[in-house]
mmCIF file of all heavy atoms in Angstrom:
data_model
loop_
_atom_site.group_PDB
_atom_site.id
_atom_site.type_symbol
_atom_site.label_atom_id
_atom_site.label_comp_id
_atom_site.label_asym_id
_atom_site.label_seq_id
_atom_site.Cartn_x
_atom_site.Cartn_y
_atom_site.Cartn_z
ATOM 1 N N GLY A 1 170.705 54.634 114.116
ATOM 2 C CA GLY A 1 171.985 55.360 113.932
ATOM 3 C C GLY A 1 172.659 55.785 115.206
ATOM 4 O O GLY A 1 172.037 56.001 116.191
ATOM 5 N N PHE A 2 173.926 55.850 115.070
ATOM 6 C CA PHE A 2 174.768 56.292 116.281
ATOM 7 C C PHE A 2 175.948 57.043 115.795
ATOM 8 O O PHE A 2 176.328 56.897 114.603
ATOM 9 C CB PHE A 2 175.094 55.057 117.169
ATOM 10 C CG PHE A 2 176.120 54.201 116.480
ATOM 11 C CD1 PHE A 2 177.489 54.389 116.684
ATOM 12 C CD2 PHE A 2 175.728 53.099 115.770
ATOM 13 C CE1 PHE A 2 178.463 53.566 116.116
ATOM 14 C CE2 PHE A 2 176.651 52.301 115.145
ATOM 15 C CZ PHE A 2 178.030 52.477 115.339
ATOM 16 N N THR A 3 176.647 57.758 116.650
ATOM 17 C CA THR A 3 177.886 58.478 116.418
ATOM 18 C C THR A 3 178.770 58.399 117.672
ATOM 19 O O THR A 3 178.226 58.378 118.795
ATOM 20 C CB THR A 3 177.660 59.888 115.997
ATOM 21 O OG1 THR A 3 178.916 60.519 115.705
ATOM 22 C CG2 THR A 3 176.957 60.681 117.099
ATOM 23 N N THR A 4 180.065 58.398 117.436
ATOM 24 C CA THR A 4 181.012 58.375 118.479
ATOM 25 C C THR A 4 182.283 59.136 118.107
ATOM 26 O O THR A 4 182.480 59.372 116.918
ATOM 27 C CB THR A 4 181.425 56.933 118.924
ATOM 28 O OG1 THR A 4 182.239 57.014 120.094
ATOM 29 C CG2 THR A 4 182.175 56.234 117.836
ATOM 30 N N VAL A 5 183.080 59.506 119.074
ATOM 31 C CA VAL A 5 184.226 60.253 118.825
ATOM 32 C C VAL A 5 185.351 59.314 118.386
ATOM 33 O O VAL A 5 185.555 58.216 119.095
ATOM 34 C CB VAL A 5 184.737 61.060 120.074
ATOM 35 C CG1 VAL A 5 186.000 61.801 119.748
ATOM 36 C CG2 VAL A 5 183.647 62.052 120.424
ATOM 37 N N ARG A 6 186.072 59.599 117.340
ATOM 38 C CA ARG A 6 187.141 58.768 116.859
ATOM 39 C C ARG A 6 188.375 58.939 117.744
ATOM 40 O O ARG A 6 188.766 60.116 118.030
ATOM 41 C CB ARG A 6 187.428 59.069 115.399
ATOM 42 C CG ARG A 6 188.579 58.162 114.886
ATOM 43 C CD ARG A 6 188.896 58.537 113.474
ATOM 44 N NE ARG A 6 190.059 57.737 112.910
ATOM 45 C CZ ARG A 6 190.546 57.811 111.680
ATOM 46 N NH1 ARG A 6 189.978 58.688 110.814
ATOM 47 N NH2 ARG A 6 191.561 57.045 111.326
ATOM 48 N N VAL A 7 188.962 57.827 118.090
ATOM 49 C CA VAL A 7 190.223 57.925 118.909
ATOM 50 C C VAL A 7 191.298 57.245 118.164
ATOM 51 O O VAL A 7 191.026 56.514 117.180
ATOM 52 C CB VAL A 7 190.013 57.212 120.340
ATOM 53 C CG1 VAL A 7 188.957 57.953 121.107
ATOM 54 C CG2 VAL A 7 189.644 55.737 120.172
ATOM 55 N N ASN A 8 192.523 57.382 118.626
ATOM 56 C CA ASN A 8 193.668 56.715 117.926
ATOM 57 C C ASN A 8 193.708 55.258 118.309
ATOM 58 O O ASN A 8 194.201 54.841 119.378
ATOM 59 C CB ASN A 8 194.966 57.431 118.378
ATOM 60 C CG ASN A 8 196.129 56.963 117.542
ATOM 61 O OD1 ASN A 8 196.045 56.310 116.554
ATOM 62 N ND2 ASN A 8 197.393 57.235 118.094
ATOM 63 N N ASP A 9 193.188 54.429 117.438
ATOM 64 C CA ASP A 9 193.050 52.898 117.672
ATOM 65 C C ASP A 9 193.626 52.205 116.355
ATOM 66 O O ASP A 9 192.871 51.985 115.431
ATOM 67 C CB ASP A 9 191.578 52.584 117.897
ATOM 68 C CG ASP A 9 191.444 51.107 118.315
ATOM 69 O OD1 ASP A 9 192.445 50.422 118.386
ATOM 70 O OD2 ASP A 9 190.294 50.770 118.652
ATOM 71 N N PRO A 10 194.858 51.861 116.441
ATOM 72 C CA PRO A 10 195.419 51.207 115.239
ATOM 73 C C PRO A 10 194.823 49.909 114.842
ATOM 74 O O PRO A 10 194.892 49.474 113.656
ATOM 75 C CB PRO A 10 196.918 51.059 115.646
ATOM 76 C CG PRO A 10 197.216 51.947 116.713
ATOM 77 C CD PRO A 10 195.921 52.045 117.429
ATOM 78 N N GLY A 11 194.245 49.227 115.755
ATOM 79 C CA GLY A 11 193.623 47.888 115.469
ATOM 80 C C GLY A 11 192.234 47.885 115.102
ATOM 81 O O GLY A 11 191.598 46.874 114.923
ATOM 82 N N LEU A 12 191.612 49.174 114.840
ATOM 83 C CA LEU A 12 190.196 49.154 114.559
ATOM 84 C C LEU A 12 189.875 48.552 113.210
ATOM 85 O O LEU A 12 188.958 47.804 113.045
ATOM 86 C CB LEU A 12 189.758 50.649 114.616
ATOM 87 C CG LEU A 12 188.315 50.965 114.172
ATOM 88 C CD1 LEU A 12 187.381 50.185 115.194
ATOM 89 C CD2 LEU A 12 188.030 52.375 114.205
ATOM 90 N N VAL A 13 190.691 48.970 112.150
ATOM 91 C CA VAL A 13 190.415 48.394 110.838
ATOM 92 C C VAL A 13 190.571 46.859 110.803
ATOM 93 O O VAL A 13 189.651 46.181 110.154
ATOM 94 C CB VAL A 13 191.359 49.070 109.789
ATOM 95 C CG1 VAL A 13 191.198 48.500 108.319
ATOM 96 C CG2 VAL A 13 191.155 50.593 109.800
ATOM 97 N N LYS A 14 191.568 46.286 111.449
ATOM 98 C CA LYS A 14 191.642 44.851 111.482
ATOM 99 C C LYS A 14 190.521 44.179 112.161
ATOM 100 O O LYS A 14 189.952 43.138 111.676
ATOM 101 C CB LYS A 14 192.948 44.509 112.199
ATOM 102 C CG LYS A 14 193.276 42.967 112.257
ATOM 103 C CD LYS A 14 194.579 42.753 112.952
ATOM 104 C CE LYS A 14 194.885 41.234 113.071
ATOM 105 N NZ LYS A 14 196.101 40.946 113.734
ATOM 106 N N GLU A 15 190.011 44.828 113.216
ATOM 107 C CA GLU A 15 188.849 44.314 113.907
ATOM 108 C C GLU A 15 187.573 44.367 113.101
ATOM 109 O O GLU A 15 186.765 43.402 113.108
ATOM 110 C CB GLU A 15 188.660 45.030 115.202
ATOM 111 C CG GLU A 15 187.717 44.361 116.184
ATOM 112 C CD GLU A 15 187.672 45.018 117.536
ATOM 113 O OE1 GLU A 15 188.546 45.951 117.823
ATOM 114 O OE2 GLU A 15 186.814 44.684 118.382
ATOM 115 N N LEU A 16 187.368 45.460 112.299
ATOM 116 C CA LEU A 16 186.213 45.519 111.405
ATOM 117 C C LEU A 16 186.307 44.444 110.317
ATOM 118 O O LEU A 16 185.237 43.928 109.939
ATOM 119 C CB LEU A 16 186.187 46.939 110.833
ATOM 120 C CG LEU A 16 185.902 48.097 111.773
ATOM 121 C CD1 LEU A 16 185.950 49.417 111.054
ATOM 122 C CD2 LEU A 16 184.597 47.890 112.463
ATOM 123 N N ASP A 17 187.451 44.232 109.765
ATOM 124 C CA ASP A 17 187.636 43.154 108.742
ATOM 125 C C ASP A 17 187.315 41.806 109.280
ATOM 126 O O ASP A 17 186.637 40.990 108.588
ATOM 127 C CB ASP A 17 188.994 43.197 108.175
ATOM 128 C CG ASP A 17 189.280 44.440 107.323
ATOM 129 O OD1 ASP A 17 188.232 45.069 106.906
ATOM 130 O OD2 ASP A 17 190.461 44.903 107.228
ATOM 131 N N GLU A 18 187.671 41.521 110.532
ATOM 132 C CA GLU A 18 187.454 40.235 111.139
ATOM 133 C C GLU A 18 185.929 39.948 111.316
ATOM 134 O O GLU A 18 185.449 38.903 111.140
ATOM 135 C CB GLU A 18 188.162 40.059 112.521
ATOM 136 C CG GLU A 18 189.666 39.991 112.371
ATOM 137 C CD GLU A 18 190.325 39.969 113.730
ATOM 138 O OE1 GLU A 18 189.584 40.140 114.723
ATOM 139 O OE2 GLU A 18 191.501 39.775 113.807
ATOM 140 N N HIS A 19 185.150 41.069 111.602
ATOM 141 C CA HIS A 19 183.810 40.889 111.851
ATOM 142 C C HIS A 19 182.972 41.181 110.562
ATOM 143 O O HIS A 19 181.734 41.269 110.604
ATOM 144 C CB HIS A 19 183.271 41.755 113.012
ATOM 145 C CG HIS A 19 183.824 41.348 114.294
ATOM 146 N ND1 HIS A 19 184.982 41.664 114.796
ATOM 147 C CD2 HIS A 19 183.208 40.571 115.272
ATOM 148 C CE1 HIS A 19 185.229 41.161 116.003
ATOM 149 N NE2 HIS A 19 184.059 40.446 116.285
ATOM 150 N N MET A 20 183.718 41.312 109.461
ATOM 151 C CA MET A 20 183.094 41.591 108.154
ATOM 152 C C MET A 20 182.034 42.738 108.171
ATOM 153 O O MET A 20 180.895 42.668 107.776
ATOM 154 C CB MET A 20 182.438 40.313 107.604
ATOM 155 C CG MET A 20 183.410 39.278 107.200
ATOM 156 S SD MET A 20 182.703 37.743 106.593
ATOM 157 C CE MET A 20 181.790 37.154 108.017
ATOM 158 N N ILE A 21 182.506 43.887 108.732
ATOM 159 C CA ILE A 21 181.608 45.060 108.826
ATOM 160 C C ILE A 21 181.983 46.013 107.618
ATOM 161 O O ILE A 21 183.195 46.251 107.451
ATOM 162 C CB ILE A 21 181.854 45.806 110.187
ATOM 163 C CG1 ILE A 21 181.406 44.840 111.357
ATOM 164 C CG2 ILE A 21 181.097 47.104 110.244
ATOM 165 C CD1 ILE A 21 181.693 45.459 112.690
ATOM 166 N N THR A 22 181.038 46.401 106.940
ATOM 167 C CA THR A 22 181.250 47.354 105.817
ATOM 168 C C THR A 22 181.542 48.755 106.369
ATOM 169 O O THR A 22 180.758 49.333 107.139
ATOM 170 C CB THR A 22 180.034 47.391 104.871
ATOM 171 O OG1 THR A 22 179.738 46.090 104.494
ATOM 172 C CG2 THR A 22 180.262 48.303 103.743
ATOM 173 N N TYR A 23 182.680 49.334 105.903
ATOM 174 C CA TYR A 23 183.056 50.713 106.369
ATOM 175 C C TYR A 23 183.595 51.546 105.230
ATOM 176 O O TYR A 23 184.095 51.023 104.212
ATOM 177 C CB TYR A 23 184.064 50.679 107.493
ATOM 178 C CG TYR A 23 185.338 49.989 107.121
ATOM 179 C CD1 TYR A 23 186.414 50.735 106.597
ATOM 180 C CD2 TYR A 23 185.484 48.562 107.265
ATOM 181 C CE1 TYR A 23 187.635 50.095 106.204
ATOM 182 C CE2 TYR A 23 186.721 48.011 106.940
ATOM 183 C CZ TYR A 23 187.739 48.723 106.439
ATOM 184 O OH TYR A 23 188.948 48.117 106.091
ATOM 185 N N THR A 24 183.375 52.842 105.303
ATOM 186 C CA THR A 24 183.904 53.789 104.279
ATOM 187 C C THR A 24 184.574 54.938 105.062
ATOM 188 O O THR A 24 184.259 55.187 106.195
ATOM 189 C CB THR A 24 182.785 54.371 103.429
ATOM 190 O OG1 THR A 24 181.778 54.978 104.251
ATOM 191 C CG2 THR A 24 182.141 53.223 102.629
ATOM 192 N N GLY A 25 185.480 55.628 104.279
ATOM 193 C CA GLY A 25 186.137 56.778 104.800
ATOM 194 C C GLY A 25 185.471 58.126 104.359
ATOM 195 O O GLY A 25 184.976 58.201 103.287
ATOM 196 N N HIS A 26 185.608 59.148 105.202
ATOM 197 C CA HIS A 26 185.084 60.469 104.851
ATOM 198 C C HIS A 26 186.132 61.519 105.227
ATOM 199 O O HIS A 26 186.588 61.586 106.369
ATOM 200 C CB HIS A 26 183.809 60.710 105.558
ATOM 201 C CG HIS A 26 183.217 62.097 105.365
ATOM 202 N ND1 HIS A 26 182.780 62.571 104.169
ATOM 203 C CD2 HIS A 26 183.104 63.168 106.248
ATOM 204 C CE1 HIS A 26 182.427 63.791 104.243
ATOM 205 N NE2 HIS A 26 182.580 64.175 105.546
ATOM 206 N N TYR A 27 186.495 62.374 104.282
ATOM 207 C CA TYR A 27 187.473 63.390 104.520
ATOM 208 C C TYR A 27 186.794 64.806 104.295
ATOM 209 O O TYR A 27 186.167 65.089 103.249
ATOM 210 C CB TYR A 27 188.723 63.291 103.654
ATOM 211 C CG TYR A 27 189.672 64.422 103.768
ATOM 212 C CD1 TYR A 27 190.545 64.519 104.794
ATOM 213 C CD2 TYR A 27 189.754 65.467 102.795
ATOM 214 C CE1 TYR A 27 191.385 65.556 104.947
ATOM 215 C CE2 TYR A 27 190.657 66.480 102.869
ATOM 216 C CZ TYR A 27 191.468 66.506 103.966
ATOM 217 O OH TYR A 27 192.400 67.541 104.138
ATOM 218 N N GLU A 28 186.948 65.704 105.263
ATOM 219 C CA GLU A 28 186.322 67.058 105.173
ATOM 220 C C GLU A 28 187.445 68.002 104.807
ATOM 221 O O GLU A 28 188.368 68.213 105.494
ATOM 222 C CB GLU A 28 185.674 67.426 106.519
ATOM 223 C CG GLU A 28 184.508 66.584 106.875
ATOM 224 C CD GLU A 28 184.001 66.973 108.289
ATOM 225 O OE1 GLU A 28 184.539 67.902 108.860
ATOM 226 O OE2 GLU A 28 182.941 66.351 108.684
ATOM 227 N N SER A 29 187.161 68.782 103.729
ATOM 228 C CA SER A 29 188.172 69.792 103.241
ATOM 229 C C SER A 29 187.959 71.082 104.118
ATOM 230 O O SER A 29 186.855 71.543 104.226
ATOM 231 C CB SER A 29 187.961 70.116 101.813
ATOM 232 O OG SER A 29 188.698 71.156 101.374
ATOM 233 N N LYS A 30 189.037 71.543 104.601
ATOM 234 C CA LYS A 30 189.105 72.729 105.471
ATOM 235 C C LYS A 30 189.697 73.965 104.720
ATOM 236 O O LYS A 30 190.026 74.912 105.427
ATOM 237 C CB LYS A 30 189.849 72.534 106.785
ATOM 238 C CG LYS A 30 189.272 71.475 107.622
ATOM 239 C CD LYS A 30 189.997 71.399 108.965
ATOM 240 C CE LYS A 30 189.377 70.295 109.856
ATOM 241 N NZ LYS A 30 190.131 70.212 111.153
ATOM 242 N N PHE A 31 189.753 73.857 103.421
ATOM 243 C CA PHE A 31 190.396 74.962 102.664
ATOM 244 C C PHE A 31 189.652 76.242 102.839
ATOM 245 O O PHE A 31 190.191 77.313 103.227
ATOM 246 C CB PHE A 31 190.524 74.592 101.144
ATOM 247 C CG PHE A 31 191.081 75.719 100.327
ATOM 248 C CD1 PHE A 31 192.308 75.998 100.304
ATOM 249 C CD2 PHE A 31 190.186 76.439 99.477
ATOM 250 C CE1 PHE A 31 192.828 77.008 99.501
ATOM 251 C CE2 PHE A 31 190.635 77.446 98.672
ATOM 252 C CZ PHE A 31 192.025 77.796 98.738
ATOM 253 N N TRP A 32 188.332 76.164 102.548
ATOM 254 C CA TRP A 32 187.553 77.437 102.589
ATOM 255 C C TRP A 32 187.419 77.987 104.036
ATOM 256 O O TRP A 32 187.279 79.176 104.228
ATOM 257 C CB TRP A 32 186.081 77.247 101.972
ATOM 258 C CG TRP A 32 186.175 76.987 100.500
ATOM 259 C CD1 TRP A 32 185.949 75.848 99.881
ATOM 260 C CD2 TRP A 32 186.595 77.923 99.547
ATOM 261 N NE1 TRP A 32 186.191 75.974 98.494
ATOM 262 C CE2 TRP A 32 186.605 77.309 98.268
ATOM 263 C CE3 TRP A 32 186.901 79.250 99.587
ATOM 264 C CZ2 TRP A 32 186.905 77.946 97.110
ATOM 265 C CZ3 TRP A 32 187.265 80.002 98.365
ATOM 266 C CH2 TRP A 32 187.196 79.307 97.126
ATOM 267 N N SER A 33 187.242 77.092 104.967
ATOM 268 C CA SER A 33 187.175 77.586 106.374
ATOM 269 C C SER A 33 188.483 78.261 106.833
ATOM 270 O O SER A 33 188.444 79.196 107.500
ATOM 271 C CB SER A 33 186.896 76.364 107.276
ATOM 272 O OG SER A 33 187.884 75.404 107.213
ATOM 273 N N SER A 34 189.631 77.688 106.352
ATOM 274 C CA SER A 34 190.912 78.378 106.653
ATOM 275 C C SER A 34 191.015 79.676 106.034
ATOM 276 O O SER A 34 191.467 80.658 106.660
ATOM 277 C CB SER A 34 192.027 77.434 106.213
ATOM 278 O OG SER A 34 192.053 76.197 106.830
ATOM 279 N N ILE A 35 190.619 79.751 104.721
ATOM 280 C CA ILE A 35 190.593 81.077 104.053
ATOM 281 C C ILE A 35 189.752 82.139 104.772
ATOM 282 O O ILE A 35 190.163 83.264 105.001
ATOM 283 C CB ILE A 35 190.186 80.938 102.637
ATOM 284 C CG1 ILE A 35 191.282 80.129 101.816
ATOM 285 C CG2 ILE A 35 190.001 82.320 101.991
ATOM 286 C CD1 ILE A 35 192.609 80.841 101.703
ATOM 287 N N LEU A 36 188.578 81.650 105.141
ATOM 288 C CA LEU A 36 187.645 82.621 105.904
ATOM 289 C C LEU A 36 188.224 83.060 107.151
ATOM 290 O O LEU A 36 188.122 84.278 107.551
ATOM 291 C CB LEU A 36 186.229 81.819 106.061
ATOM 292 C CG LEU A 36 185.169 82.672 106.694
ATOM 293 C CD1 LEU A 36 184.841 83.908 105.833
ATOM 294 C CD2 LEU A 36 183.946 81.803 106.972
ATOM 295 N N SER A 37 188.815 82.203 107.866
ATOM 296 C CA SER A 37 189.364 82.620 109.212
ATOM 297 C C SER A 37 190.501 83.698 108.983
ATOM 298 O O SER A 37 190.651 84.630 109.773
ATOM 299 C CB SER A 37 189.935 81.387 109.962
ATOM 300 O OG SER A 37 190.943 80.782 109.228
ATOM 301 N N TRP A 38 191.393 83.445 107.971
ATOM 302 C CA TRP A 38 192.406 84.433 107.729
ATOM 303 C C TRP A 38 191.861 85.694 107.246
ATOM 304 O O TRP A 38 192.386 86.773 107.618
ATOM 305 C CB TRP A 38 193.377 83.850 106.623
ATOM 306 C CG TRP A 38 194.402 83.029 107.141
ATOM 307 C CD1 TRP A 38 194.496 81.726 107.098
ATOM 308 C CD2 TRP A 38 195.596 83.386 107.884
ATOM 309 N NE1 TRP A 38 195.559 81.197 107.716
ATOM 310 C CE2 TRP A 38 196.336 82.249 108.193
ATOM 311 C CE3 TRP A 38 196.148 84.672 108.253
ATOM 312 C CZ2 TRP A 38 197.541 82.270 108.938
ATOM 313 C CZ3 TRP A 38 197.298 84.659 108.889
ATOM 314 C CH2 TRP A 38 197.990 83.551 109.248
ATOM 315 N N VAL A 39 190.759 85.719 106.454
ATOM 316 C CA VAL A 39 190.152 86.922 105.995
ATOM 317 C C VAL A 39 189.624 87.709 107.229
ATOM 318 O O VAL A 39 189.704 88.983 107.276
ATOM 319 C CB VAL A 39 189.059 86.686 105.016
ATOM 320 C CG1 VAL A 39 188.234 87.939 104.755
ATOM 321 C CG2 VAL A 39 189.641 86.158 103.696
ATOM 322 N N ILE A 40 188.986 87.042 108.135
ATOM 323 C CA ILE A 40 188.438 87.747 109.377
ATOM 324 C C ILE A 40 189.562 88.402 110.137
ATOM 325 O O ILE A 40 189.478 89.544 110.442
ATOM 326 C CB ILE A 40 187.725 86.710 110.244
ATOM 327 C CG1 ILE A 40 186.457 86.253 109.464
ATOM 328 C CG2 ILE A 40 187.323 87.338 111.539
ATOM 329 C CD1 ILE A 40 185.627 85.157 110.162
ATOM 330 N N TYR A 41 190.666 87.658 110.364
ATOM 331 C CA TYR A 41 191.815 88.222 111.074
ATOM 332 C C TYR A 41 192.430 89.438 110.413
ATOM 333 O O TYR A 41 192.757 90.428 111.022
ATOM 334 C CB TYR A 41 192.952 87.187 111.362
ATOM 335 C CG TYR A 41 192.480 86.127 112.323
ATOM 336 C CD1 TYR A 41 192.688 84.758 112.044
ATOM 337 C CD2 TYR A 41 191.867 86.489 113.553
ATOM 338 C CE1 TYR A 41 192.253 83.785 113.017
ATOM 339 C CE2 TYR A 41 191.508 85.556 114.483
ATOM 340 C CZ TYR A 41 191.721 84.194 114.165
ATOM 341 O OH TYR A 41 191.363 83.186 115.174
ATOM 342 N N LEU A 42 192.627 89.337 109.067
ATOM 343 C CA LEU A 42 193.160 90.454 108.323
ATOM 344 C C LEU A 42 192.292 91.674 108.339
ATOM 345 O O LEU A 42 192.711 92.752 108.392
ATOM 346 C CB LEU A 42 193.490 90.025 106.869
ATOM 347 C CG LEU A 42 194.619 89.042 106.618
ATOM 348 C CD1 LEU A 42 194.690 88.598 105.132
ATOM 349 C CD2 LEU A 42 195.917 89.676 107.081
#
């Protein structure tokens, strides 16, 4: 396994499709973290 920092690369998805690499997307919800930060400030 490996990990790297995502950069703004518009041609990344096209390149992954050309090399037939399986990829999935992951979205992290920041709702509760935002609420918690506001509660601390208040």
Side-chain angles (χ1 to χ4, degrees):
F2 70 89
T3 180
T4 185
V5 178
R6 181 179 177 180
V7 299
N8 188 13
D9 188 357
L12 176 62
V13 175
K14 182 179 179 181
E15 191 173 355
L16 293 176
D17 291 338
E18 289 177 354
H19 291 83
M20 292 182 294
I21 297 174
T22 304
Y23 60 89
T24 58
H26 174 67
Y27 175 75
E28 296 179 358
S29 175
K30 296 185 178 181
F31 175 76
W32 292 109
S33 60
S34 301
I35 291 295
L36 183 61
S37 63
W38 275 103
V39 168
I40 293 175
Y41 288 133
L42 289 175

